Amino acid sequence: MTTTRGENERGPVLAVLPFAAPGGSEADALIAQGLHEDVCGELSRFRAFAVISPISAAAVADRSDAEIGTVLGATHVLRGRLRRAGEMLEVSASLVDCAGATQLWTERLTAPGEEFFSLREGIVARIVATLAARLEETVLAGAREPEPPTSGAGSSG
């Protein structure tokens, strides 16, 4: 059975794009790749939403969020970036609603480069926990939406 965009018994469908490391070194690119893998792995543990395969998400990373939603059936896209400023590493992540093309959340975390690996687990945990909470809020908000009014009972049209 093929599902259409937004149809998923688990709720929202998330495409986690590879973390970009613009202008960074090969080492920075490997760190960004590791962050992407860690975030995808941790997010896949939640039952309230589905995570699209990292390989599938990577294949459409250069497209707009709306296109990614259409192509992959994603309701949300997570984009991440790793930047280096001297000895500091900055990780940022943003969650976008594909249908509304609206940014729902962004997080920026900074750590000294030499401490990054010891802090990586905490950085990933913070991104994942916040993102999961935001997506679960989306599910709850959808469940609370009132049904649209129907035409009066007994009226003929």
Side-chain angles (χ1 to χ4, degrees):
M1 178 177 127
T2 304
T3 60
T4 59
R5 183 170 170 223
E7 288 182 17
N8 172 39
E9 64 279 358
R10 290 172 52 187
V13 179
L14 177 64
V16 180
L17 303 183
F19 279 56
S25 66
E26 191 173 320
D28 289 350
L30 288 172
I31 292 169
Q33 180 181 351
L35 285 169
H36 177 241
E37 292 168 359
D38 291 350
V39 168
C40 288
E42 291 299 314
L43 285 170
S44 68
R45 297 175 187 232
F46 290 85
R47 295 179 187 222
F49 50 88
V51 178
I52 291 172
S53 157
I55 293 171
S56 297
V60 296
D62 60 336
R63 297 187 183 197
S64 73
D65 297 327
E67 287 178 303
I68 291 169
T70 300
V71 171
L72 297 178
T75 57
H76 296 82
V77 171
L78 177 72
R79 292 186 182 269
R81 180 176 303 265
L82 176 77
R83 295 183 202 151
R84 183 176 292 276
E87 294 301 313
M88 301 298 284
L89 285 175
E90 178 184 274
V91 176
S92 62
S94 298
L95 177 66
V96 175
D97 177 294
C98 293
T102 54
Q103 185 169 305
L104 303 175
W105 163 81
T106 190
E107 181 86 24
R108 185 176 297 141
L109 304 165
T110 305
E114 69 275 1
E115 295 177 27
F116 187 80
F117 284 102
S118 63
L119 299 173
R120 186 170 93 182
E121 187 174 308
I123 289 171
V124 169
R126 183 167 169 181
I127 289 171
V128 167
T130 305
L131 180 63
R134 285 296 188 140
L135 288 174
E136 288 172 348
E137 285 173 14
T138 301
V139 171
L140 292 173
R144 281 187 242 129
E145 286 181 6
E147 300 231 357
T150 57
S151 58
S155 67
S156 59

